[in-house]
Amino acid sequence: MAKFKKKTKTEENIPTSALPDIIFMLLFFFMVTTVLREQELLVEQKLPQATQLQKLEKKSLISYLYVGKPKNTSLYGTEPIIQANDVPITTNDILLWVNQEKDNLSEAERDQITISLKADRDVKMGPIADIQFELREADARKVLYASVGKTK
Amino acid sequence: MARKKNRMSQEVNAGSMADIAFLLLIFFLVTTTIASDKGITNILPPKQDPNVPPPDIKKNERNIFKILINSNDQLLVEDDFRDNTEGLDQDIKAFVLNFGNPNQENVDLYNSLPPSLKGISAKDPESSDHPNEAVVSIKTNRGTSYELYLEVLDLVKKAYFEIYAERVGLTADEYRALSSRDAAEKELMQRGKEDIPMAISIAEPDKTGGE
């Protein structure tokens, strides 16, 4: 029966050398578009939804304030706390913190500092209003209420 | 020169390279978050000098669109009770473009508007005089939820952006995506905003209502 077994000359294996190229392309895409999380979040973060989102053009001008219920309730209690950089702060520290953040910017950009307020959607307006008041005191008046797009 | 028939395969085996690349890819997928620097921008009022008494603002009541939100997340819009925020953006648009008592400058502005926006204008003498005077005021309570506050602010922004976009013939999404870096886009932005300032006032919240 061996006579019927025709020896085919076609290659049996599929060339996969292009596969790494595709994967690398994806890899570079992710490397470029994403940033490594710089700090550990101490608070819960479920950003509220909104439709009229705007993008900020200069990332270097943004400083982040996280507001929400602490994750570690045994250490910080259940009331919403404010996190700046890596540490929880109180509203009284905001003035100092803003000035520190301003010092990191160049002279010309100092008054353009933008505070991205990443507040959890369950926070009440009380703490938010306190923060806004402190930001006015610190003359950091540009605020971005961070939110996610509405999915409807 | 006898050619060797059985030559070694010239292809390098690159199958494992894909594995390595996959590994890296998955690592980046897991460890990174896509930067979400999006949100609603707002500019807070300047701080008050304690030595200078607050300026006496003589604004006619009809030029202020008042939105009050209490700690039960109920709304009082222009002295009318509301359960939800539905239709609020349309009301604000109608308020801003009311042209109840325009001066010459604002008559020109009115005439420059596209017909779709002219249609909104009710010319009600009990509502705002003209867009330059109109202010939308949001007042919350300490117990108001942040989510609802942002939703209302979102709708106010929406109303203004829709007006701006309509003036330059774009959709609101397209208008918001304009960047001030591009000269042509910046010009469009300016043209949309011209003479209709986005006046949103956020009042200090009441002390009642708890945290």
Side-chain angles (χ1 to χ4, degrees), chain B residues 73-77 80-88 91:
Chain B
D73 285 358
Q74 290 162 323
L75 291 112
L76 195 68
V77 179
D80 287 328
F81 173 79
R82 283 195 199 190
D83 247 342
N84 54 30
T85 56
E86 216 169 291
L88 193 60
D91 292 351

Side-chain angles (χ1 to χ4, degrees), chain B:
Chain B
M1 276 266 235
R3 255 184 147 184
K4 221 177 179 182
K5 276 252 170 89
N6 197 11
R7 285 180 77 185
M8 283 265 280
S9 169
Q10 276 179 324
E11 254 180 57
V12 183
N13 190 3
S16 53
M17 189 144 87
D19 296 356
I20 297 165
F22 259 126
L23 212 80
L24 274 167
L25 174 66
I26 290 164
F27 169 75
F28 271 96
L29 271 168
V30 170
T31 55
T32 58
T33 48
I34 290 177
S36 58
D37 281 325
K38 280 183 175 174
I40 296 173
T41 53
N42 190 29
I43 294 182
L44 299 173
K47 73 168 169 184
Q48 278 167 5
D49 195 329
N51 300 322
V52 181
D56 223 11
I57 300 165
K58 280 189 236 94
K59 274 230 184 273
N60 273 320
E61 196 87 328
R62 61 172 184 273
N63 279 322
I64 304 170
F65 190 88
K66 278 178 295 186
I67 304 168
L68 297 163
I69 317 170
N70 74 2
S71 53
N72 292 330
D73 285 358
Q74 290 162 323
L75 291 112
L76 195 68
V77 179
E78 288 283 73
D79 300 323
D80 287 328
F81 173 79
R82 283 195 199 190
D83 247 342
N84 54 30
T85 56
E86 216 169 291
L88 193 60
D89 50 334
Q90 295 305 320
D91 292 351
I92 293 163
K93 263 170 99 170
F95 164 78
V96 172
L97 296 173
N98 179 56
F99 290 100
N101 180 19
N103 51 26
Q104 187 51 48
E105 207 179 304
N106 299 108
V107 170
D108 295 342
L109 173 65
Y110 176 76
N111 288 330
S112 74
L113 291 177
S116 52
L117 289 180
K118 273 185 193 164
I120 298 172
S121 174
K123 297 208 165 120
D124 181 359
E126 293 298 303
S127 187
S128 81
D129 290 342
H130 49 79
N132 262 318
E133 281 282 303
V135 173
V136 179
S137 160
I138 304 172
K139 185 164 182 160
T140 56
N141 195 293
R142 285 190 74 85
T144 306
S145 76
Y146 175 62
E147 198 177 8
L148 184 72
Y149 162 72
L150 214 60
E151 193 182 324
V152 172
L153 190 60
D154 190 41
L155 286 173
V156 180
K157 288 255 170 191
K158 187 180 175 202
Y160 274 104
F161 277 127
E162 277 176 5
I163 294 171
Y164 294 166
E166 192 90 46
R167 280 180 90 189
V168 289
L170 296 171
T171 65
D173 286 327
E174 283 167 343
Y175 185 85
R176 270 184 288 115
L178 293 179
S179 101
S180 59
R181 283 189 197 154
D182 192 310
E185 291 189 358
K186 198 173 182 179
E187 198 266 322
L188 268 183
M189 259 170 108
Q190 287 299 335
R191 206 147 53 83
K193 274 196 271 198
E194 211 170 27
D195 290 322
I196 304 184
M198 192 183 281
I200 303 172
S201 145
I202 292 164
E204 295 270 313
D206 285 332
K207 292 277 178 265
T208 52
E211 297 280 308

Side-chain angles (χ1 to χ4, degrees), chain A residues 13 15-17 19-21 23-24 26-28 30-31 33-37 47-59 62 64 79 114 116-133 135-148 150, chain B residues 11-15 17-18 20-22 24-29 31-48 71 73 140-147 149-151 153-155 157-159 161-162 172-173 176 178-181 189 202 204-205 207 210-211:
Chain A
N13 38 344
T16 53
S17 51
L19 190 65
D21 297 358
I23 308 297
F24 267 118
L26 270 170
L27 176 64
F28 287 138
F30 273 97
M31 282 174 73
T33 54
T34 55
V35 283
L36 281 168
R37 186 169 279 250
L47 295 179
Q49 292 184 331
T51 55
Q52 308 299 305
L53 300 179
Q54 278 177 296
K55 245 185 179 171
L56 287 182
E57 286 175 6
K58 259 196 159 172
K59 268 202 176 153
I62 310 174
Y64 298 94
E79 284 300 305
T114 308
S116 177
L117 197 59
K118 294 201 163 187
D120 191 88
R121 61 177 74 154
D122 293 329
V123 176
K124 297 283 179 204
M125 275 309 286
I128 305 285
D130 291 343
I131 291 168
Q132 282 178 350
F133 181 77
L135 290 178
R136 279 171 64 185
E137 289 288 305
D139 202 26
R141 285 163 46 211
K142 278 179 115 175
V143 177
L144 179 88
Y145 300 100
S147 37
V148 291
K150 212 167 239 180
Chain B
E11 254 180 57
V12 183
N13 190 3
M17 189 144 87
I20 297 165
F22 259 126
L24 274 167
L25 174 66
I26 290 164
F27 169 75
F28 271 96
L29 271 168
T31 55
T32 58
T33 48
I34 290 177
S36 58
D37 281 325
K38 280 183 175 174
I40 296 173
T41 53
N42 190 29
I43 294 182
L44 299 173
K47 73 168 169 184
Q48 278 167 5
S71 53
D73 285 358
T140 56
N141 195 293
R142 285 190 74 85
T144 306
S145 76
Y146 175 62
E147 198 177 8
Y149 162 72
L150 214 60
E151 193 182 324
L153 190 60
D154 190 41
L155 286 173
K157 288 255 170 191
K158 187 180 175 202
F161 277 127
E162 277 176 5
D173 286 327
R176 270 184 288 115
L178 293 179
S179 101
S180 59
R181 283 189 197 154
M189 259 170 108
I202 292 164
E204 295 270 313
K207 292 277 178 265
E211 297 280 308

